[in-house]
Amino acid sequence: MYRLWVGQTGQLYWPDEYRYLHALHVLDELRKGDLREALHWIFGVEAGVASRPSYILLSLLPAVGQGVANIVFDLPPTHPSFYTIPVIFNVMVSVALAMTIYALLDLVVEDHWLAAGGAALHGMLANTNLYVRHLFPYDLSLLLFLLSLVVLLGRSEGRHLTSGCCLIAGILTGAAATTYPGYNLFVLIPMGVLAAARPFAWRPMATFIVTAFGVVAFWEAIARVGGYSFIGASKRFSTTFTPETLTGVQGAYDEGFRFLPLYLIEVEGLAGILLALLLVVFLVLAIWGRFERLVIAIVGTALVAYLVYAIAVQVLHWVVFYGRLVHMYLPFVVLAATLVMRELKNPSLRYGATAILLVAVFASFAPTAVSAMAIRFPKDVERILAGGAGQSWKICKAGQPAGGREAPLNGCDVVLVNAQHLYPLPEQWKSSAPAGFSLAGQFAHPMQFRPYWFEGYTPQERARLQADPPMINVFSRSGRLFSWAVDAVSKLGLRWAAAT
């Protein structure tokens, strides 16, 4: 219910969310019978979309729901409920992800109660709930990757890895990689499981790898039908982000190795600190030989994947870390913590410690959840103010503060400043009233929400966001509160200034 509640707002705030809209275009072109144009919206528009065709394909499911709602209920794309439909799909994916994490923990830990506790722990992390309200492929890709791992683990304990099992895992892995390429290093983890389960068998590994690349070959063949290249688009996307384009804009290279512990401490709070400590305990116990080979293979290859990416960040300066990339590693941090709990041989101590951990995680989750529910995004502000003003007032949205003062405001009754996605951060977001206007009120910008600070912002920018929280300013031409302001206050929590 919480995820459905927060999902009522926030869609299309981040620029990357607009990639979802390509699924709506694909559906519209297929309705017209134009296959080539439909392929254009998958492979021929921009490399960032063309590198994730499985995401567009799977997004057709909620897109069909939106199309039905539009036709049957006359629900226009401008209505906020129009994008509640893909959020419901996101929530369903997040539930499936929780069930998959439970299955993974149960297979590895072999304790139903510990597995349930670990799944609940993961479900209450801020990072787990951060992307459900937005139109992103992260949960979907992670779900497919984890399913591939569960398929292999379900067979590996008895060393009964069949060709069919590796075939299914390979298809799921290929689909996951073509849903969101940022998690491609996950492929090391199922390969580690295969190597640990059958050290001297080459057929399971070969079947898995060939099948995973077969999904890539499938999408390349589909792209060729429309005169495009999936592989070529993926290469263009990977070379778009160079050190020159990233420096000073997206993240920081010096956070490669410490990004995960920093994220756990800064975003997850007490829960993150405890998870980080339990991860250290797991590593110590692993060195002492307390865990079986398969367990070491799973957590170890996840750690190797993280270190490989960290080297690409801090040493090679090829990429940068984001909170969305940490999303891939947190299930394995939780797995390590759950395995440490398993080492407490006394059942009362084991389950008691797990219960205390869950209470601590909830204590960290609750304030973050309240903050997430309180966020009002720029589109929400515009919609509520427009609804309150009716047709009698013209509401204008200024760009950066300086541009807002200089832009022509003829005919505007209300001007919103900073009512947009602040990325990259402007040089300053303090704004004085435009000529002829006065400050009517202001409210917290979404970038006051701490988990968003780790989505491409540098340490200096995060410090600035903390020291000088950005506000969305509402300026009125009349210099007085409108009759509809009372309703806006109750809906937005506006802090009204003394307008004169």
Side-chain angles (χ1 to χ4, degrees):
M1 290 302 297
Y2 162 72
R3 292 172 184 173
L4 286 173
W5 180 269
V6 297
Q8 295 181 64
T9 63
Q11 296 79 53
L12 303 180
Y13 170 70
W14 296 90
D16 285 356
E17 294 185 74
Y18 285 85
R19 289 168 175 165
Y20 168 82
L21 302 184
H22 288 231
L24 295 173
H25 288 291
V26 169
L27 193 63
D28 188 51
E29 297 303 333
L30 290 176
R31 180 184 61 82
K32 298 175 184 176
D34 194 337
L35 177 60
R36 185 178 179 84
E37 192 62 22
L39 292 175
H40 168 76
W41 283 103
I42 300 176
F43 299 104
V45 179
E46 57 171 301
V49 176
S51 63
R52 54 193 77 188
S54 293
Y55 173 59
I56 303 300
L57 176 66
L58 293 169
S59 294
L60 291 179
L61 296 173
V64 168
Q66 289 175 287
V68 171
N70 178 252
I71 295 172
V72 176
F73 302 106
D74 195 28
L75 188 68
T78 54
H79 196 280
S81 297
F82 187 76
Y83 290 102
T84 302
I85 296 171
V87 169
I88 293 173
F89 178 74
N90 286 355
V91 172
M92 294 171 62
V93 169
S94 72
V95 172
L97 183 59
M99 295 171 64
T100 303
I101 289 175
Y102 168 79
L104 171 65
L105 296 175
D106 194 33
L107 284 167
V108 177
V109 182
E110 298 180 327
D111 184 312
H112 300 315
W113 290 108
L114 279 182
L121 190 160
H122 182 269
M124 287 189 290
L125 294 177
N127 182 269
T128 300
N129 297 280
L130 184 59
Y131 309 108
V132 174
R133 77 195 308 169
H134 300 294
L135 308 182
F136 288 137
Y138 313 140
D139 277 351
L140 193 54
S141 178
L142 184 58
L143 171 62
L144 294 170
F145 270 125
L146 288 174
L147 282 173
S148 72
L149 192 57
V150 168
V151 167
L152 293 179
L153 287 173
R155 292 286 188 173
S156 60
E157 284 295 333
R159 307 301 188 265
H160 298 304
L161 283 169
T162 63
S163 297
C165 170
C166 296
L167 183 72
I168 295 172
I171 292 173
L172 289 169
T173 297
T178 53
T179 296
Y180 178 58
Y183 296 160
N184 283 356
L185 285 175
F186 194 109
V187 71
L188 296 176
I189 303 172
M191 290 175 66
V193 169
L194 288 168
R198 300 281 296 275
F200 303 105
W202 63 271
R203 289 184 185 277
M205 185 75 75
T207 301
F208 171 79
I209 294 174
V210 169
T211 307
F213 277 101
V215 176
V216 175
F218 166 79
W219 281 119
E220 179 66 17
I222 296 297
R224 293 288 182 178
V225 172
Y228 305 105
S229 172
F230 163 61
I231 296 175
S234 299
K235 288 181 178 179
R236 290 196 304 274
F237 180 62
S238 63
T239 56
T240 297
F241 299 101
T242 64
E244 289 74 19
T245 61
L246 286 173
T247 300
V249 178
Q250 297 184 354
Y253 294 130
D254 59 359
E255 290 188 325
F257 293 103
R258 63 188 178 96
F259 192 89
L260 176 58
L262 180 67
Y263 191 94
L264 289 173
I265 295 170
E266 291 288 329
V267 175
E268 301 297 347
L270 177 60
I273 294 172
L274 293 175
L275 284 174
L277 291 175
L278 288 171
L279 178 59
V280 172
V281 173
F282 171 86
L283 294 175
V284 172
L285 293 176
I287 293 172
W288 283 354
R290 297 289 294 272
F291 300 113
E292 55 270 29
R293 182 174 60 192
L294 197 60
V295 168
I296 298 298
I298 297 170
V299 181
T301 49
L303 181 60
V304 168
Y306 177 82
L307 292 176
V308 168
Y309 197 92
I311 290 171
V313 174
Q314 195 151 348
V315 178
L316 302 177
H317 291 189
W318 286 353
V319 288
V320 290
F321 253 122
Y322 308 91
R324 71 198 78 165
L325 297 177
V326 168
H327 197 59
M328 172 186 131
Y329 300 99
L330 290 182
F332 301 99
V333 175
V334 171
L335 173 59
T338 309
L339 285 164
V340 171
M341 293 298 166
R342 189 190 68 174
E343 289 303 299
L344 299 173
K345 301 305 180 184
N346 185 300
S348 298
L349 181 60
R350 181 192 314 145
Y351 298 128
T354 302
I356 293 173
L357 179 60
L358 286 174
V359 170
V361 172
F362 180 78
S364 298
F365 168 73
T368 303
V370 171
S371 297
M373 288 189 291
I375 296 176
R376 291 296 179 266
F377 294 87
K379 288 183 181 295
D380 304 328
V381 177
E382 296 177 65
R383 187 182 301 119
I384 293 174
L385 292 179
Q391 302 298 320
S392 58
W393 302 101
K394 181 179 179 181
I395 301 173
C396 301
K397 180 180 176 182
Q400 303 295 353
R405 291 192 297 270
E406 297 169 358
L409 302 175
N410 298 332
C412 297
D413 297 294
V414 178
V415 174
L416 303 179
V417 177
N418 292 335
Q420 73 274 336
H421 181 231
L422 298 180
Y423 188 89
L425 292 181
E427 293 183 2
Q428 57 90 22
W429 48 69
K430 298 290 186 182
S431 54
S432 57
F437 288 79
S438 59
L439 182 65
Q442 54 182 187
F443 65 97
H445 192 277
M447 283 314 301
Q448 291 195 25
F449 190 50
R450 183 180 291 267
Y452 287 158
W453 298 358
F454 289 80
E455 297 299 330
Y457 295 90
T458 65
Q460 295 76 20
E461 289 171 329
R462 295 198 296 266
R464 183 181 165 205
L465 286 166
Q466 183 172 11
D468 184 20
M471 305 292 293
I472 295 181
N473 296 319
V474 182
F475 295 103
S476 67
R477 182 179 292 278
S478 62
R480 60 179 176 82
L481 300 182
F482 302 130
S483 62
W484 44 266
V486 175
D487 183 56
V489 169
S490 63
K491 292 181 179 179
L492 290 175
L494 290 172
R495 296 210 311 261
W496 293 100
T500 56

